[in-house]
Amino acid sequence: MNRTIRRAGTVTLLLVMALLLRLTWMQLAHGEALADSEKNRRNTIEQYAQPFGDIYVGGEPVTGSARSKGGGDLRYQRAYTDGALYAPVTGFASQVRGATQLEGIYQDVLDGTDDRLKSPLGLLTGEQANPGNVLTTIDPHVQRTGYEALGGKKGAAVAIDPDSGEILGAVSTPSFDPSAISGSGAEDTAAWKKLTARSGNDKTDDKPTLNRALRQAVPPGSTFKLVVAAAALEDGRYSSVDEPTDSPDPYTLKGTSKVLENENKSAPCENASLRTALRYSCNNVFAKLATDLGAEKLREQAEKFGFNDEKQDVPVRAAKSTFPTSMDEAQTGLSGIGQFEVTATPLQMAMVSQAIAHGGELVDPHMVSRVQDASGNTLQSYEDPDSHRVMSERTAAQLRSAMGTVVDKGTGSNAKIDGVKVGGKTGTAQHGVDNSGTPYAWFTSYGETESGENSGKNSGKKVAVAVVVEDSDAARAEVSGNGLAAPIAKQMMEAALR
């Protein structure tokens, strides 16, 4: 063998050895990252190689699996029953766009790659196991009732069992059918582009893929007055909701010349009690009360209800409901009527009524009860949630009584249900530049099958419901919590307490 061939052979051998060393190093140092990379096509092929597990509502699956329309190496794609109805609960699973909400949180369980589903041998071989299932707390009757009641309106609604924390309904409209975007074909791409197209006009940007029930916080308006009333009673400022307050009408925001008037100018709001102020939604009472209490005490009470929580998981991560941490006295006054920079999701305002209905204790809201393997064995349970005290039982009883007056004799009359004790609070929230946007119509409420002042933790069947209508066909002057949101809350309460 001549010298040239030996040198070429030696160089080739060194290159092969270097390549082997490089591959070995890559596997040791970056193997896991490469295996888990979103760009690793093998993961997607494995994920869609078999039918998925399902998400259950009321004991029935609302998801399924279908053969992929586009063929290729992805054998199955996600399918949905009543997809638009349950999209705010399930989210979507797409071969191209990933997975959201419950589909995303429990993706490993639903596609069979979760290690808890595998046998000891399967853990060694990496073999895909039979997929598991996710059981939700959603009541199909409550969910459908809320969806149909909202109809063509842009808005959302949340219903919670105050005693267990189970979310019975999470409705967002307009909605979409996740089946239309679950594949990778041209039709799915066209459907996605249509769903995400924006006109540049906020009034017509309906954002059907946005989960308004959990993921959008907007000004809560006068529904926030319940938080202020709770802070005042907990602070000992008033002994009961029937004690007169020191509240001039109209009220001038402190440090300014801005006069805050009431919507109903004939309402008896001067020095009104908390019961009367909630009944007539007196701005002067709650703006002055917020100013007197101060921003710090208000913030502490709001945070007990769940405001400013950046990790509100149900288990879907909810958007943060905000109570400002830095305000002057005039801004504090505006925050007392749910304006300035106060924002809340429908989930958050349902939690306010939930805590009041449950005797002042807030049970962590959740929409999943159990996660199971293919044999029905429980992998994870949410049936014993944590709770914390938001206010005393006495304060909660006082607020239930006052909220009952709002429905029986005040601005929430459209929520009355025969034979059911119903309490609520309306809200009409201004927003936009110079309040140019169509007001949001709010209603937060509770209903219980056993009425009376002694209701609370040990009373009959209960439900808390919050509804927001962002946009409807109603004229601006006709937008109100009682007119638009309360009838929807009533129907959902009836469905839950049937």
Side-chain angles (χ1 to χ4, degrees):
M1 184 183 297
N2 61 41
R3 183 179 299 176
T4 301
I5 294 175
R6 282 201 307 273
R7 287 178 177 175
T10 301
V11 171
T12 301
L13 179 61
L14 289 173
L15 289 173
V16 170
M17 291 178 64
L19 179 60
L20 290 173
L21 287 172
R22 173 66 176 174
L23 287 173
T24 302
W25 181 81
M26 286 290 291
Q27 287 181 326
L28 292 175
H30 301 289
E32 186 175 347
L34 290 171
D36 295 337
S37 172
E38 293 180 357
K39 297 180 179 180
N40 187 343
R41 180 71 174 173
R42 293 177 61 186
N43 290 337
T44 305
I45 293 171
E46 179 184 12
Q47 182 181 5
Y48 290 96
Q50 66 176 355
F52 303 92
D54 287 311
I55 298 172
Y56 280 73
V57 171
E60 298 293 332
V62 296
T63 58
S65 300
R67 284 284 185 175
S68 291
K69 303 171 194 173
D73 50 13
L74 303 181
R75 296 177 61 190
Y76 291 92
Q77 67 183 58
R78 218 18 161 167
Y80 297 85
T81 302
D82 290 321
L85 174 63
Y86 292 113
V89 178
T90 62
F92 66 79
S94 165
Q95 293 176 342
V96 176
R97 295 161 191 90
T100 64
Q101 297 183 186
L102 296 187
E103 289 277 30
I105 293 170
Y106 299 106
Q107 185 177 58
D108 291 351
V109 171
L110 294 169
D111 67 19
T113 58
D114 192 301
D115 286 346
R116 293 175 296 176
L117 300 170
K118 298 177 180 179
S119 65
L121 180 60
L123 288 172
L124 291 174
T125 63
E127 182 182 356
Q128 194 169 10
N130 291 326
N133 301 306
V134 176
L135 280 58
T136 74
T137 61
I138 300 297
D139 182 321
H141 190 44
V142 174
Q143 183 78 6
R144 186 173 295 279
T145 297
Y147 182 75
E148 292 177 352
L150 272 163
K153 305 178 186 71
K154 185 192 297 185
V158 173
I160 305 175
D161 182 324
D163 294 344
S164 67
E166 293 182 350
I167 296 177
L168 306 177
V171 182
S172 178
T173 56
S175 189
F176 70 104
D177 183 2
S179 297
I181 60 171
S182 63
S184 54
E187 291 182 3
D188 300 84
T189 300
W192 178 254
K193 287 181 178 178
K194 185 176 180 180
L195 283 173
T196 56
R198 294 182 60 86
S199 67
N201 183 338
D202 287 342
K203 189 174 180 61
T204 57
D205 285 335
D206 289 338
K207 304 176 188 173
T209 58
L210 172 64
N211 187 341
R212 289 177 160 82
L214 308 178
R215 295 292 305 154
Q216 177 165 265
V218 299
S222 292
T223 58
F224 188 77
K225 291 172 181 175
L226 291 170
V227 178
V228 181
L233 292 169
E234 287 293 278
D235 189 54
R237 192 164 291 268
Y238 299 104
S239 59
S240 80
V241 292
D242 294 306
E243 184 179 338
T245 63
D246 178 17
S247 309
D249 183 19
Y251 173 68
T252 302
L253 292 172
K254 202 161 185 180
T256 74
S257 58
K258 181 175 177 56
V259 176
L260 196 64
E261 296 183 339
N262 297 303
E263 189 73 22
N264 184 350
K265 293 182 172 54
S266 63
C269 290
E270 183 176 0
N271 300 326
S273 66
L274 291 177
R275 183 189 301 277
T276 299
L278 288 170
R279 174 183 175 184
Y280 292 100
S281 203
C282 299
N283 289 332
N284 63 309
V285 173
F286 290 99
K288 184 176 186 299
L289 189 52
T291 306
D292 292 345
L293 284 165
E296 185 62 22
K297 288 182 178 178
L298 281 182
R299 181 187 60 77
E300 289 177 359
Q301 185 62 61
E303 290 182 351
K304 288 180 180 179
F305 280 108
F307 284 82
N308 294 338
D309 185 353
E310 296 182 352
K311 297 181 179 180
Q312 180 64 254
D313 298 332
V314 295
V316 175
R317 175 65 56 86
K320 182 176 76 170
S321 297
T322 302
F323 185 81
T325 55
S326 179
M327 296 181 288
D328 60 26
E329 289 183 307
Q331 292 165 341
T332 301
L334 287 174
S335 75
I337 60 172
Q339 296 288 168
F340 184 51
E341 295 177 353
V342 180
T343 63
T345 61
L347 169 67
Q348 176 60 74
M349 294 317 301
M351 289 166 61
V352 171
S353 289
Q354 174 194 354
I356 293 170
H358 190 55
E361 189 177 13
L362 182 64
V363 182
D364 287 352
H366 55 283
M367 66 166 62
V368 171
S369 59
R370 278 174 291 153
V371 180
Q372 298 180 330
D373 65 16
S375 300
N377 300 310
T378 299
L379 301 177
Q380 194 170 3
S381 174
Y382 297 88
E383 294 175 324
D384 186 22
D386 292 334
S387 64
H388 68 273
R389 182 151 294 282
V390 175
M391 69 195 89
S392 68
E393 289 191 35
R394 184 178 187 281
T395 293
Q398 291 275 308
L399 291 178
R400 285 196 302 275
S401 176
M403 290 172 71
T405 301
V406 171
V407 173
D408 292 339
K409 301 177 182 178
T411 59
S413 58
N414 284 338
K416 288 182 182 178
I417 302 173
D418 291 341
V420 176
K421 173 67 177 178
V422 178
K425 182 68 191 81
T426 55
T428 306
Q430 307 294 332
H431 69 100
V433 179
D434 297 326
N435 294 330
S436 59
T438 302
Y440 297 134
W442 277 93
F443 192 71
T444 185
S445 57
Y446 74 90
E448 55 182 326
T449 54
E450 292 183 7
S451 61
E453 291 300 316
N454 294 323
S455 327
K457 292 172 64 175
N458 299 315
S459 63
K461 192 171 183 180
K462 298 193 290 289
V463 66
V465 176
V467 177
V468 61
V469 177
E470 295 180 35
D471 202 0
S472 70
D473 294 332
R476 182 186 177 93
E478 297 174 355
V479 173
S480 71
N482 193 42
L484 293 176
I488 298 169
K490 173 184 177 179
Q491 293 180 59
M492 292 183 73
M493 286 188 284
E494 287 178 319
L497 300 173
R498 68 193 187 284

